[in-house]
Amino acid sequence: MRTAFREVMTGDVRLAGEPAARAMRLELRAELPGLLHPWMAATAEVTGHVHVAGSGDDPAAPDWADDPAATGILEIAPLRARRIRYRLSFTTADGRRLHLDGWKSIRLGRPVRTMTRLPATVLDDSGRVVGEARLRFALTRQLLPMAVSVRTRTDPPPTAADLLRPRWRGRPGRLEVWYATITEPRTGTGLWLHHELVAPGDGAAPYAHGWTGVFPAGAAPVLARFGPVPWRAPDGPEVYRAGEVTVSADRLRGSAGDLSWDLRRCGGGAPLYTFPRWAWRHDVLPAAQIVPLPAATFTGTLRYGQTVVELARAPGNIARIDGHGNAARWAWLHADLGGGDVCEVVAAVAARPWLSRLPALPMVRLRVGGVDLPGGDPLLGAARLRADLDLPHWTVTGRLGGARLRIDVIQPADRTLAVEYVNPDGSPVVCHNTERAHARIVVERRTGGQWRTWRSWTLDGTAHAEVGRRE
Amino acid sequence: MSERALRAVAAAVLGVDDARARVVAARAVRLAGAFPRPVAAGLRAAAVTVNAAAYARTGTGLAALTPDRREAVCAAVTALPGGAQLLDALKTVLLLAASDTAVAAMPRQARADRLPARPDRLPARPDPLPARPDPPLTCITAAEWPARTSADVVVVGSGAGGAVAAREFARAGARVVVVEEGRRFTVDEFRRLPPADRFVSLYRDGGATLALGRPPVLLPQGRGVGGTTLVNSGTCYRTPTRVLRRWRDAYGVPVADPAHFDRLLDEVEALLAVAPQPTDVLGRNGALALAGARRLGWRAAPLRRNAPGCAGSCQCAVGCPRNAKNGVHLNALPQACAAGAVIVTGARVRRLLVTGGRAAGVRFGEHEILAPLVVVAAGAVETPRLLRRSGLGGHPQLGRNLAVHPAVSVAGRFAEPVVSWSGVLQSVGIEELHDDGVLIEATAGPPGLVSFVPPGYGRTLRAQLDGADRLATLGAMVADVPGGRVGARTVRYRLAPTDADRLREAIVAMGRVLLAAGADEVLTGIEARPYARTADELAAAAASAAPADLHLAAFHPGGTARMGADPARAPVDPAGRLRGVHGVLVVDASALPTCPEVNPQLSIMALALAVSRAAA
């Protein structure tokens, strides 16, 4: 059993050497083992947003800190230790890493006051006091949102291996995909391993097939298909098998035409839910995509033709799609931003007649410092974004929580493979895919009355992208 | 305390005119602001009672009476049950107030010539000798300290025990925060402020901490960065071997093994630069004590002190104006701060935080410091109170077994000026009776600032004060049978009959030393027989004094959380750990297994050194 909740506290922080305090706001998401109750003594993992305003004298001054990727822990023992301790690390606007350490000291004679006041000290890496914060949980404004935010979950969060397991339970008209995209950094070679399980809508026997694309630097991409073979549920650690092509959480191996590969996976980070978690779990959307291993590295050998590429901790990912089939139109981007940070985009127009008239709905997850943005539901977040899907240049623009986002993707034609898909209903779709795309991602925040760049990334030939459409 | 009520009482008790009484009363009211409420209320009630007695006896207030009739009223009050104690309490406060006013009930012109080191002249005539500069200390006031902090070790109290513990833990690499109730005093303040002002701010409760009993005893305790070492006499006795053996064998404290403990004492002595006091600045008071003892054939010598540059300012009790006395604020604490320790001042710890049977930190005001180890060194009175407030007072012996050094003092009147306040405050030790638990020390100081209270009221007292420069004073302290108990708000102390006998013995012994030194008469401090001219008169006066008639002061409280191997008898184990909880060490005088029979600074510091070094 796990409990998750959100808490917002506001107040001020007096920085050392400054005469006036600055406004401060903490928005926290906590997840702890067990149920939330007064007798507990547990440590919760906390992520959240730390905001400290600019100088009070100058309204146009930029924020002193505005970090949506704060992380830390929350020690909750309101009766057993009479203390609820908050320890958070965050980054200021000028890049300093700071640590907030404070606790509510519960006194049974003054429960409301002591449960709602959080004095805290802000320290730097050396332990020097940078400031003193006094935060308050506003009962009238924040108690209801906090109570509503409480969620309990009886199962532990699924692991990457859990998420990679096949979900097909015999329903016709289903499509499941395991795909991995990798960039070999030394040679700049991109690799795309696409594994499909297709359960045709006419009730025919399900089959497994797929293809492999290699995108060498300075040469035309190479495509090779494998299968189809009848689907057999894999056993052991494998999650997919199509002849000699296998997928497991730790290994990808197989051959297709004159292509062969044998790669071992290492790392990967926490699963990234590009589509909402509920959509993946309850299968209520026409299709959903998630990335069980968004920031993995791969080591092994890739052979195509006479070329042998040795991969050594090459960055890549393994993603999953499950649904009724391919969208009417879609675009996808996987950008490895380094250090475990990832940007994943799926912008799609559903193939259902009554949904196909809608504009493309961009689902964006930007993982920075272990925090996934936007903080809320990706589907709701998609409503504030807009995608212009074209080739070779497509974009996603709009709001990402309180920030402004622009993503530009360029898929050069000479680096792009056009691959024909077949939906479970038999309709064809063409996917234009490259693992050597260019991408530019810019996140801006509004400080001092104007938009300023908060973070930006440029990927020169290392972004993985595709655009699919019915042609 | 009402100044108006006190004005007439001041005039009556000190025998001064109304103008001077007004100044003294105003000053007394200001000083009493630092006293605990019950003490201040008691003084107010005493003043009202004396005035009421005047109305009852004469039909008019004390203010309207002539000096003769005022003295008659004082005599009448003295005759009442408890009246003498009541007037004594008033007299003590008024003498303190008068000590640094220019009206100290003394002759006008002659006194100006005869009292070269009168403390009231200090502000106007600063000490010309240079002071040793204060060493750097990392002190932060509680108001400036963040409300929430964490550390590896929190030390409660910066006195002899706390300072050593802070130094040891800081040198071992721990993040140490010392939390001190008092503030930091600088040598500049000691040179600039009048002694009485320093007195009320340097001592807890303005110096009016009272142990209730018959007789009630004053129990002065220092409060400031450095604790009582700021205001003690600087006398540094090594723990006697017989005491160490008792601690080792009867209380099961292995660290007290004399061979081991002597090395710790050596280290502490080196830290404090302890050495015998050179005779050049002893002063006449010490010289007379030496002479008297020599004529009696008794063991006596200048005391070993931690004041290598002492110039005989005679202000140890209110802060050395030259930083000559090595309180721990001049050595152990600066060394702790150099190793990274921080001292939070003005922070009275309200309680220790305990989580799951383990210490988690301390709370003072709205501040909390989290630390896995809390070292309690708040003194023998405050340590058990703090532990009780924190829910750690479960051990039945905690707060009991309060041992003190009950002390009496006598004065000898000499034909020639002595000017006892010119020289070392505590200069000579006479150890003839030490094996019987009586230690005589030549202790002097200006009227009002020492525990010796001249006899009489009105013009009688004034006459005594007129001749104060011809008085030599000795004090004697007794290793007592522990008879005190620290409560939440009060301290109770019962003087054991055997201790009363030894105090009488001490009065006689001191009187004999003074007479042997050439004193014309001895002021016994006993109300019924205040003067004695021969050894027989001395013995008769002492024999006539009931315990309640003795003018007692009590020093060196200890033993209220005593250390020992027997869990039933000792709240603290031989490693200094408080029983019943993890992560609490006790390193102050309260952990001493018994009375150390000597001035305890070295004993406390050596014990703290052993405990903290083992735990660091």
Side-chain angles (χ1 to χ4, degrees), chain B residues 425-491:
Chain B
L425 182 133
Q426 196 163 66
S427 51
V428 167
I430 301 171
E431 300 176 19
E432 185 66 21
L433 304 177
H434 198 199
D435 292 344
D436 298 335
V438 177
L439 183 58
I440 298 172
E441 292 170 333
T443 308
L449 287 171
V450 289
S451 55
F452 177 75
V453 180
Y457 304 98
R459 284 171 299 184
T460 312
L461 175 60
R462 192 173 149 190
Q464 291 294 342
L465 294 171
D466 284 349
D469 59 330
R470 291 168 191 268
L471 294 180
T473 53
L474 299 181
M477 61 186 197
V478 166
D480 71 338
V481 177
R485 184 174 175 180
V486 176
R489 295 183 182 278
T490 57
V491 180

Side-chain angles (χ1 to χ4, degrees), chain A residues 58 70 87 102 106 113 153 157 159 165 195 299 335 354 388 456 466 471:
Chain A
D58 179 8
R87 287 198 272 189
I106 313 303
R113 181 185 170 87
R153 193 166 59 233
T159 62
R165 287 203 184 90
H195 315 77
T299 301
W354 43 279
D388 290 320
S456 69
E466 70 181 28
E471 293 179 346

Side-chain angles (χ1 to χ4, degrees), chain A residues 23-104:
Chain A
M24 184 172 187
R25 181 180 173 88
L26 278 188
E27 296 174 20
L28 304 177
R29 296 179 292 277
E31 184 166 326
L32 64 141
L35 275 175
L36 187 65
H37 59 82
W39 296 273
M40 70 185 311
T43 300
E45 294 174 8
V46 174
T47 57
H49 190 153
V50 175
H51 179 265
V52 179
S55 169
D57 302 333
D58 179 8
D63 291 330
W64 188 76
D66 187 15
D67 185 358
T71 56
I73 58 170
L74 179 56
E75 297 168 10
I76 309 173
L79 291 182
R80 288 167 68 175
R82 297 194 183 173
R83 186 162 50 248
I84 304 174
R85 186 175 187 182
Y86 296 71
R87 287 198 272 189
L88 282 175
S89 297
F90 64 97
T91 307
T92 62
D94 61 4
R96 274 193 300 163
R97 194 70 176 157
L98 299 180
H99 312 280
L100 179 139
D101 185 3
W103 55 92
K104 297 171 181 169

Side-chain angles (χ1 to χ4, degrees), chain B residues 72 221 268 422 461:
Chain B
Q221 304 159 76
V268 174
S422 176
L461 175 60

Side-chain angles (χ1 to χ4, degrees), chain A residues 191-194 210-214 222-226 256 259 261 302:
Chain A
L191 176 62
W192 175 28
L193 303 172
H194 188 97
W211 53 87
T212 302
V214 178
V222 179
L223 179 72
R225 291 180 179 270
F226 57 86
L259 268 164
W261 63 95
L302 165 69

Side-chain angles (χ1 to χ4, degrees), chain A residues 81 83 85 103 105 119 121 132, chain B residues 146-149 355 363 368 370:
Chain A
R83 186 162 50 248
R85 186 175 187 182
W103 55 92
S105 191
T121 306
E132 192 177 1
Chain B
R148 297 287 187 266
T149 47
T355 303
R363 176 187 299 156
E368 289 186 2
L370 291 187

